[in-house]
């Protein structure tokens, strides 16, 4: 990152949107190349100067993402070395792309496992710290997800300042330290604080992970990778309690935290080697810095150097740059109707999955009278629904997008992700009805598990489609957009399990499940129709969303 230097030194203005009118974002990260753009930064002969020639500018009018400096004659604009530049993350070999994608998905997987793995052991934690209130017991589970609401608001924008890889690795290390500390907690207050701090660090992949995949893949390619990534935060909470139940029964609840910390440490080591930086503006800033260092004052006047992602004629201090970036998620939510709609819908969906996670132990302990180890096995039903549906959806998500793009004069739209979401809005309420009434009527446990599997199937279809929609619509600011969405989503994940015992105690599992199913159908079906019918019109009012 460069700031205005003394007059006799090359300068690069730091660029950032002012929260109202952002710099024109690129339609993709592959910046166009012409004779005004610096090529490989080891060959001075290819570093050309911007010429202020009206006829030339008109003949070679660059797309919006190229920018120009008006009357500045001594400015070097740094971009990729053509559309096939191997330094561009979108041109990396598939093995390198998938190594980065799998690493990000691993970060995204281990944190949600830690969020729910303690659920079957919650009674042991309560007994250790003399917690007799069900609200406080559930709070030991939910407070981790509360941190999910606030972490991305800081960590998402930071990834757009300091880079995706740095933020992900640092945040995972932070998660590792405090999750490990949970296993050594000696009081209720300590475990609450440690859980919150570990959740804060574990929240980074929720904001940055999808942005990394947006950096690596074009819209026609990113469906499979985002299908894998978006599965992780849903599959993790389903798998965690399976292991947590047996650990709690055979050992102590402290090993629930220590075991996840061991895995988080292993993922951190892998990520250090397998996760390079992917954020194009930062990579081009590094390239510009290298070009600037190679300039020789003795060989001629020193030229200003900037990247194609930076607007000419505007400079920012470090403080302005950071503050503006940190406020961007709030700006996006306040001024982007599409972000508001997605946030509220996904908040309900995410709240439901954590409500189900918190309810399963009570259902199979009180109704089916099973031990903690066997209770944890019923999370497999939820996990199977998530996994099988996710893998199926991953194979059709991009195919549907490409087919609809061809029918639309080869113009892709984020709304082309929605057809796979629509079945999810039906499966989710069916699963809630089936699992609720099966438990209420004491039917065989397999019927209840089938209901949970349908819940998982519906949720993952909705999540995968909507996550990809956000990345497609806000590619340049994907981390901030995902942070805005995840705030309300995580607040619901925190709050829903807290009122679950009171709701099911008052209504029973049948009527309680019916109430949730009614909300799921009443919100989901109209919401997806609104996105499909009016999404493009809503995006056209956006200063941040790409228009096509």
């Amino acid at each position: 990152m460069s700031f205005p230097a003394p007059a006799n030194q090359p300068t690069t203005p730091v660029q950032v949107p002012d929260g109202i009118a952002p710099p024109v974002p690129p339609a993709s990260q592959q910046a166009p190349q012409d004779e005004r753009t610096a090529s490989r930064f080891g060959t001075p002969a290819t570093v050309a100067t911007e010429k202020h020639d009206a006829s030339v500018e008109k003949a070679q009018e660059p797309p919006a993402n190229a920018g120009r400096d008006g009357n500045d004659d001594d400015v070097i604009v740094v971009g990729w070395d053509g559309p096939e530049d191997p330094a561009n993350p979108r041109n990396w070999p598939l093995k390198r792309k998938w190594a980065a994608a799998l690493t990000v998905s691993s970060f995204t997987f281990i944190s949600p496992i830690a969020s729910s793995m303690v659920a079957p052991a919650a009674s042991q934690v309560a007994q250790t710290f003399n917690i007799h209130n069900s609200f406080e017991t559930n709070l030991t589970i939910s407070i981790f997800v509360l941190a999910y609401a606030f972490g991305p608001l800081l960590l998402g924008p930071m990834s757009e300042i300091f880079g995706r890889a740095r933020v992900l690795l640092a945040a995972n290390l932070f998660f590792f330290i405090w999750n490990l500390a949970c296993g050594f907690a000696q009081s209720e207050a300590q475990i609450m604080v440690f859980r919150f701090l570990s959740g804060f660090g574990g929240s980074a992949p929720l904001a940055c992970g999808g942005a990394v995949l947006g950096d690596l893949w074009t819209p026609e390619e990113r469906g499979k990778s985002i299908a894998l990534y978006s599965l992780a935060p849903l599959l993790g909470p389903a798998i965690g309690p399976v292991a947590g139940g047996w650990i709690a029964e055979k050992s102590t609840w402290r090993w629930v935290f220590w075991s996840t910390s061991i895995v988080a440490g292993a993922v951190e080591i892998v990520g250090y080697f397998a996760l390079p930086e992917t954020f194009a503006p930062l990579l081009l800033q590094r390239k510009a810095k290298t070009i600037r260092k190679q300039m020789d004052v003795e060989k001629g006047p020193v030229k200003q150097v900037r990247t194609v992602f930076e607007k000419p004629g505007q400079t920012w201090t470090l403080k302005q740059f950071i503050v503006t970036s940190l406020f961007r998620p709030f700006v996006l939510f306040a001024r982007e109707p599409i972000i508001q709609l997605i946030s509220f819908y996904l908040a309900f969906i995410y709240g439901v999955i954590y409500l189900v996670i918190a309810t399963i132990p009570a259902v199979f302990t009180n109704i089916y009278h099973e031990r903690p180890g066997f209770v944890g096995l019923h999370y497999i039903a939820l996990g199977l629904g998530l996994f099988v549906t996710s893998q199926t959806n991953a194979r059709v998500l991009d195919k549907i997008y490409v087919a609809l793009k061809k029918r639309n004069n080869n113009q892709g739209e984020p709304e082309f992700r929605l057809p796979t979401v629509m079945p999810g809005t039906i499966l989710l309420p069916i699963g809630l009805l089936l699992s609720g009434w099966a438990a209420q009527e004491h039917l065989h446990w397999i019927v209840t598990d089938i209901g949970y599997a349908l819940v998982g199937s519906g949720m993952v279809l909705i999540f995968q489609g909507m996550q990809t929609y956000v990345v497609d619509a806000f590619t340049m600011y994907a981390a901030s957009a995902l942070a805005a969405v995840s705030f309300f989503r995580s607040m619901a994940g925190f709050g829903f399990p807290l009122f679950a015992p009171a709701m099911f105690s008052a209504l029973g599992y049948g009527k309680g499940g019916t109430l949730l199913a009614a909300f799921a159908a009443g919100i989901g079906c109209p919401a997806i129709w609104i996105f499909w019918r009016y999404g493009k019109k809503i995006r056209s009012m956006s200063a941040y969303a790409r228009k096509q």
Side-chain angles (χ1 to χ4, degrees):
M1 187 181 306
S2 302
F3 297 92
N8 63 339
Q9 297 293 328
T11 61
T12 301
V14 174
Q15 302 301 326
V16 67
D18 57 9
I20 299 176
V24 182
S28 74
Q29 289 185 317
Q30 294 185 1
Q33 204 69 32
D34 55 34
E35 77 282 353
R36 299 174 302 101
T37 305
S39 185
R40 302 188 187 280
F41 46 84
T43 53
T46 62
V47 179
T49 302
E50 281 193 322
K51 302 296 183 182
H52 182 62
D53 185 325
S55 61
V56 172
E57 288 182 355
K58 184 175 181 179
Q60 298 183 347
E61 185 69 24
N65 61 338
R68 58 177 66 249
D69 277 353
N71 293 324
D72 289 343
D73 293 330
D74 298 320
V75 178
I76 296 173
V77 180
V78 179
W80 302 120
D81 297 338
E84 304 299 327
D85 186 353
N88 186 343
R90 290 190 174 176
N91 295 327
W92 287 353
L94 279 178
K95 287 184 178 180
R96 192 180 185 192
K97 284 186 178 182
W98 276 109
L102 288 171
T103 303
V104 169
S105 297
S106 298
F107 282 133
T108 315
F109 183 65
I110 187 60
S111 174
I113 279 184
S115 74
S116 63
M117 197 169 174
V118 72
S123 59
Q124 290 187 12
V125 175
Q127 184 177 1
T128 301
F129 298 125
N130 296 316
I131 302 174
H132 303 291
N133 187 296
S134 62
F135 178 87
E136 293 182 20
T137 301
N138 285 331
L139 190 60
T140 62
I141 303 172
S142 294
I143 197 167
F144 188 98
V145 187
L146 177 63
Y148 274 8
F150 296 98
L153 296 177
L154 174 66
L155 300 174
M158 283 181 66
S159 76
E160 295 168 350
I161 301 172
F162 303 108
R164 319 288 199 201
R166 288 178 180 175
V167 170
L168 282 169
L169 291 170
N172 186 67
L173 183 61
F174 191 84
F175 160 74
F176 167 80
I177 292 171
W178 291 109
N179 191 64
L180 187 67
C182 287
F184 295 98
Q186 300 299 316
S187 67
E188 179 185 353
Q190 285 184 5
I191 197 168
M192 293 290 188
V193 172
F194 295 164
R195 284 277 285 170
F196 181 86
L197 292 174
S198 62
F200 190 92
S203 69
L206 301 181
C208 309
V212 170
L213 303 182
D215 296 340
L216 291 171
W217 311 89
T218 63
E220 296 81 5
E221 301 171 327
R222 69 172 61 116
K224 288 183 180 179
S225 60
I226 290 189
L228 176 65
Y229 160 76
S230 59
L231 173 65
L234 299 176
L235 188 59
I239 289 180
V242 177
W246 289 108
I247 292 174
E249 183 173 326
K250 301 297 182 181
S251 181
T252 169
W253 62 265
R254 297 184 186 275
W255 269 105
V256 169
F257 298 104
W258 295 337
S259 59
T260 51
S261 296
I262 291 171
V263 177
V267 173
E268 178 78 7
I269 294 172
V270 172
Y272 183 81
F273 297 99
L275 183 62
E277 185 52 58
T278 63
F279 192 43
L282 184 62
L283 294 175
L284 291 180
Q285 283 181 6
R286 293 175 181 175
K287 183 175 179 179
K289 184 178 180 180
T290 302
I291 293 173
R292 198 177 302 115
K293 287 181 178 179
Q294 293 175 344
M295 290 182 176
D296 191 345
V297 179
E298 296 179 357
K299 293 183 179 180
V302 174
K303 300 176 179 62
Q304 183 184 15
V305 181
R306 67 176 178 85
T307 73
V308 292
F309 291 95
E310 297 171 337
K311 286 195 302 185
Q314 186 179 21
T315 61
W316 292 76
T317 65
L318 177 62
K319 181 179 179 180
Q320 289 174 316
F321 188 60
I322 292 177
V323 169
T324 302
S325 296
L326 294 181
F327 274 95
R328 189 180 295 124
F330 299 99
V331 173
L332 281 169
F333 181 80
R335 301 185 179 181
E336 300 291 335
I338 203 75
I339 293 292
Q340 295 168 3
L341 290 170
I342 293 174
S343 296
F344 288 127
Y345 181 48
L346 289 188
F348 173 78
I349 301 301
Y350 205 64
V352 168
I353 194 169
Y354 271 93
L355 185 148
V356 169
I357 288 168
T359 303
I360 285 178
V363 168
F364 289 99
T365 300
N366 300 330
I367 294 179
Y368 295 99
H369 308 292
E370 295 180 353
R371 297 191 322 233
F374 289 99
V375 168
L377 293 177
H378 292 282
Y379 287 94
I380 294 176
L382 184 63
L384 278 176
L386 291 166
F387 181 78
V388 173
T389 307
S390 170
Q391 295 311 298
T392 304
N393 192 38
R395 286 162 172 74
V396 301
L397 196 58
D398 286 335
K399 291 181 180 179
I400 292 176
Y401 182 91
V402 171
L404 292 175
K405 179 180 176 181
K406 289 180 179 178
R407 291 173 54 184
N408 192 44
N409 297 321
N410 213 35
Q411 288 289 334
E413 302 287 353
E415 286 72 32
F416 296 164
R417 304 294 186 183
L418 298 179
T420 59
V421 177
M422 296 173 185
T425 63
I426 305 300
L427 290 174
L428 177 59
I430 292 175
L432 290 170
L433 285 171
L434 184 59
S435 60
W437 283 107
Q440 180 74 32
E441 300 299 324
H442 294 68
L443 300 182
H444 192 276
W445 59 263
I446 193 65
V447 181
T448 307
D449 279 355
I450 291 173
Y452 289 138
L454 293 177
V455 168
S457 295
M459 286 179 173
V460 78
L461 286 173
I462 294 168
F463 257 83
Q464 286 180 339
M466 299 310 294
Q467 287 268 68
T468 314
Y469 183 94
V470 171
V471 174
D472 284 356
F474 297 91
T475 304
M476 183 65 175
Y477 302 111
S480 291
L482 290 171
V485 170
S486 69
F487 176 78
F488 288 93
R489 185 182 80 187
S490 300
M491 288 297 290
F494 164 71
F496 272 46
L498 299 181
F499 71 75
M503 182 185 74
F504 287 121
S505 176
L507 300 177
Y509 292 107
K511 291 182 180 179
T514 301
L515 181 63
L516 292 173
F519 273 104
I523 295 174
C525 297
I528 299 306
W529 183 83
I530 291 173
F531 288 136
W532 178 258
R533 184 71 177 82
Y534 300 106
K536 184 175 181 179
K537 183 177 180 180
I538 296 173
R539 284 188 294 108
S540 68
M541 299 182 289
S542 170
Y544 289 87
R546 69 182 184 90
K547 305 303 186 292
Q548 62 180 13

